[in-house]
Amino acid sequence: MSGFTVAIVGRPNVGKSTLFNRLLEQRKAIVDDISGVTRDRQYGVADWAGKTFNVIDTGGFVPDTEDIFEKEIRKQVRIAIDEADAIIFMVDVAVGITDLDDAMADLLRRSKKPVFLAVNKVDNGERELDANEFYSLGFETIYTLSSLSGTGSGELLDAVVASMKEEDDALTDGMDLPKFAIIGQPNVGKSSLLNALIGSERTIVSAIAGTTRDTIHTHYNLFQKEFVLIDTAGIRKKSKEKDDLEFYSIIRAIKAMDEADVCLLVLDAEKGITAQDVSIFSLATRKGKGIVVLVNKWDLVEKDTNTARDYEKALKQKLSPFTDVPVLFISVKDKTRIFKVIELALEVYDNKCQKISTSKLNDVMLKAVESYHAPVVRGHSVKIKFVTQLPTVVPSFAFFTNYPDDIKLPYRNYLENQLRTHFNLKGVPIRIFFRKK
């Protein structure tokens, strides 16, 4: 999985979210003609020409006001320049070049990052001619497209993936060691957890959200356990702009996630799981990362006999459909159960790396198939004859059948549940494929 990250920037209402949805092939961002509709950062994984990369929609700029200030937009672009590997700069052919476009172009021209000028809403020959005025922004190439219909988006994506370099050597250092990324919202205790685990003040910890500037790698080699811990967090200094803080945090979390084998998602027990936590959890699942959920600050929660059980049940409802994940209630401040974190992370890593023999898989799964057959398709019985684990980083299983295209989601879910029941795959997303026998 590539750690390459593309940020889509541009003034409001030029079609950033529409392009974002098209790249991800899903309607994830809210699209509306009112500027500033995208309040939360949207992020996901795009796939083009056999290459995958992260996409971030920078969205709305000033959520609490109807006015759009140039300084806010400049701030968004600076963050994208600092943190993303490439930038798609979107403009609107129907409106033409505005002062805000000029200001953003001025910043982007100075960047050493690849910038792709995408002229949107070009859906006829006349607008194709009008798009030529955007050459005056100073970029060598412009890409004309309609993000609504998808016309021209292929040329843009070809250029984006062509700019992707091979994996950096730094990412391959220590590949034989498990890598655990500590991710989560700002100020939930990620850096404190790192310090508690390694027993030293490796990172600066304060009550100000976002004091960790960069991703920090720590080699852990104690108590006959060895791995790399990756700490991620917010921004360089205290910021009153919640949007900026989230933008930094998201890009860092995604980059750390790409490097990691297992993600330790830290939640605040008092606040519970937020929509952004669920989004990051879902992204980690899609990337095939092992996951452990850590509920920190458990010491601050009033408890009775069933508090932990009920909390975990409610938590997993929000994480569905992937609920086979370990949940651990910890207090970093009191050092409660923090070393259990390491044991769970290593357990999930082992689950992710296990190779199940083909004979054992067939013994178990063919019996499960016999117990509950796939539904009949057009009068034909669907028969699964053979199953094997594929040689992939993410545990993947191929079921060979006479009608691979006709097996629907409910039966796929049944097979996944049977795999999880008979083999220890806790905390690990799995992939199931049906192939023609």
Side-chain angles (χ1 to χ4, degrees):
M1 171 69 209
S2 167
F4 196 81
T5 301
V6 178
I8 306 173
V9 304
R11 59 183 177 77
N13 206 27
V14 293
K16 298 187 298 298
S17 294
T18 307
L19 177 64
F20 173 84
N21 289 337
R22 180 160 294 282
L23 295 184
L24 268 63
E25 299 179 334
Q26 58 180 301
R27 190 176 173 81
K28 186 172 180 181
I30 300 167
V31 179
D32 201 293
D33 285 337
I34 302 167
S35 65
V37 165
T38 307
R39 299 295 169 83
D40 298 320
R41 303 297 161 206
Q42 299 288 342
Y43 38 94
V45 180
D47 191 324
W48 184 257
K51 291 188 177 181
T52 57
F53 54 93
N54 303 309
V55 185
I56 297 175
D57 174 15
T58 57
F61 293 98
V62 191
D64 299 321
T65 177
E66 293 179 3
D67 298 321
I68 304 300
F69 296 110
E70 188 175 320
K71 67 173 184 176
E72 297 294 338
I73 295 175
R74 283 177 180 270
K75 202 179 297 177
Q76 295 282 326
V77 178
R78 285 196 184 101
I79 294 171
I81 290 171
D82 287 346
E83 301 297 327
D85 297 296
I87 299 154
I88 295 175
F89 173 29
M90 286 200 76
V91 291
D92 183 350
V93 72
V95 175
I97 298 173
T98 68
D99 291 343
L100 291 176
D101 294 327
D102 269 328
M104 295 175 80
D106 184 51
L107 283 171
L108 291 167
R109 279 196 306 270
R110 301 177 203 171
S111 168
K112 293 181 181 178
K113 306 283 176 74
V115 178
F116 303 92
L117 178 58
V119 184
N120 193 25
K121 305 181 186 178
V122 179
D123 47 18
N124 58 48
E126 185 180 342
R127 287 190 167 182
E128 188 77 44
L129 288 172
D130 292 342
N132 289 320
E133 77 162 299
F134 289 92
Y135 278 110
S136 67
L137 291 176
F139 296 95
E140 187 176 335
T141 308
I142 65 172
Y143 299 88
T144 58
L145 67 145
S146 169
S147 56
L148 193 61
S149 67
T151 307
S153 58
E155 289 82 356
L156 172 64
L157 288 171
D158 285 342
V160 170
V161 298
S163 73
M164 295 171 64
K165 298 175 182 175
E166 294 301 315
E167 292 294 327
D168 194 281
D169 290 340
L171 294 182
T172 62
D173 290 344
M175 282 296 283
D176 52 331
L177 291 179
K179 290 188 174 67
F180 304 146
I182 305 173
I183 61 175
Q185 298 265 29
N187 213 27
V188 293
K190 300 186 297 297
S191 295
S192 298
L193 173 62
L194 178 69
N195 290 339
L197 288 173
I198 64 176
S200 65
E201 294 298 311
R202 174 68 176 81
T203 58
I204 299 165
V205 178
S206 76
I208 301 169
T211 47
T212 304
R213 174 64 176 92
D214 296 308
T215 300
I216 295 169
H217 292 60
T218 302
H219 183 184
Y220 184 103
N221 190 4
L222 294 169
F223 311 114
Q224 296 172 330
K225 291 179 172 62
E226 189 174 11
F227 51 87
V228 174
L229 276 169
I230 307 170
D231 178 35
T232 65
I235 56 177
R236 181 178 294 130
K237 57 187 178 181
K238 177 179 177 181
S239 171
K240 295 178 182 177
E241 303 346 333
K242 181 171 178 287
D243 274 9
D244 296 344
L245 180 63
E246 288 181 358
F247 193 15
Y248 270 120
S249 301
I250 289 162
I251 296 178
R252 294 249 167 70
I254 289 171
K255 287 185 174 180
M257 204 184 289
D258 285 323
E259 288 187 60
D261 300 300
V262 177
C263 295
L264 309 176
L265 177 59
V266 186
L267 310 177
D268 185 319
E270 291 187 305
K271 294 178 182 176
I273 189 164
T274 67
Q276 184 171 314
D277 292 321
V278 173
S279 294
I280 292 178
F281 176 88
S282 300
L283 191 60
T285 302
R286 186 171 174 189
K287 289 174 181 286
K289 306 299 179 181
I291 304 173
V292 178
V293 178
L294 306 175
V295 183
N296 189 26
K297 307 182 185 179
W298 192 239
D299 54 304
L300 303 179
V301 174
E302 289 187 21
K303 305 172 194 65
D304 58 30
T305 309
N306 298 320
T307 303
R309 184 197 67 185
D310 294 343
Y311 195 108
E312 182 173 343
K313 183 180 178 182
L315 188 67
K316 287 190 174 181
Q317 282 179 342
K318 292 189 177 181
L319 297 178
S320 62
F322 179 36
T323 58
D324 188 22
V325 291
V327 177
L328 187 63
F329 298 92
I330 65 172
S331 168
V332 173
K333 191 182 81 163
D334 296 341
K335 293 185 168 53
T336 307
R337 285 184 286 275
I338 60 166
F339 290 103
K340 180 72 175 172
V341 172
I342 295 174
E343 292 175 14
L344 273 177
L346 287 168
E347 182 184 323
V348 170
Y349 176 77
D350 288 341
N351 294 347
K352 187 171 182 285
C353 295
Q354 71 176 307
K355 303 299 177 189
I356 304 168
S357 72
T358 302
S359 59
K360 191 172 182 182
L361 263 177
N362 282 276
D363 284 347
V364 170
M365 294 308 297
L366 293 184
K367 286 177 185 174
V369 169
E370 282 299 313
S371 300
Y372 174 44
H373 289 281
V376 173
V377 177
R378 298 185 298 276
H380 300 288
S381 296
V382 175
K383 295 178 181 178
I384 293 174
K385 299 289 189 182
F386 183 72
V387 56
T388 186
Q389 185 174 357
L390 301 174
T392 54
V393 175
V394 181
S396 303
F397 302 90
F399 289 79
F400 291 85
T401 173
N402 51 345
Y403 293 101
D405 297 332
D406 293 317
I407 298 178
K408 306 302 180 189
L409 184 61
Y411 198 72
R412 179 190 291 269
N413 291 342
Y414 167 74
L415 294 176
E416 178 173 341
N417 289 336
Q418 290 299 308
L419 283 166
R420 291 189 181 281
T421 299
H422 292 96
F423 305 103
N424 189 2
L425 294 162
K426 194 173 188 67
V428 182
I430 63 176
R431 308 280 186 261
I432 291 177
F433 302 95
F434 298 105
R435 293 182 176 174
K436 183 74 175 175
K437 177 65 176 174

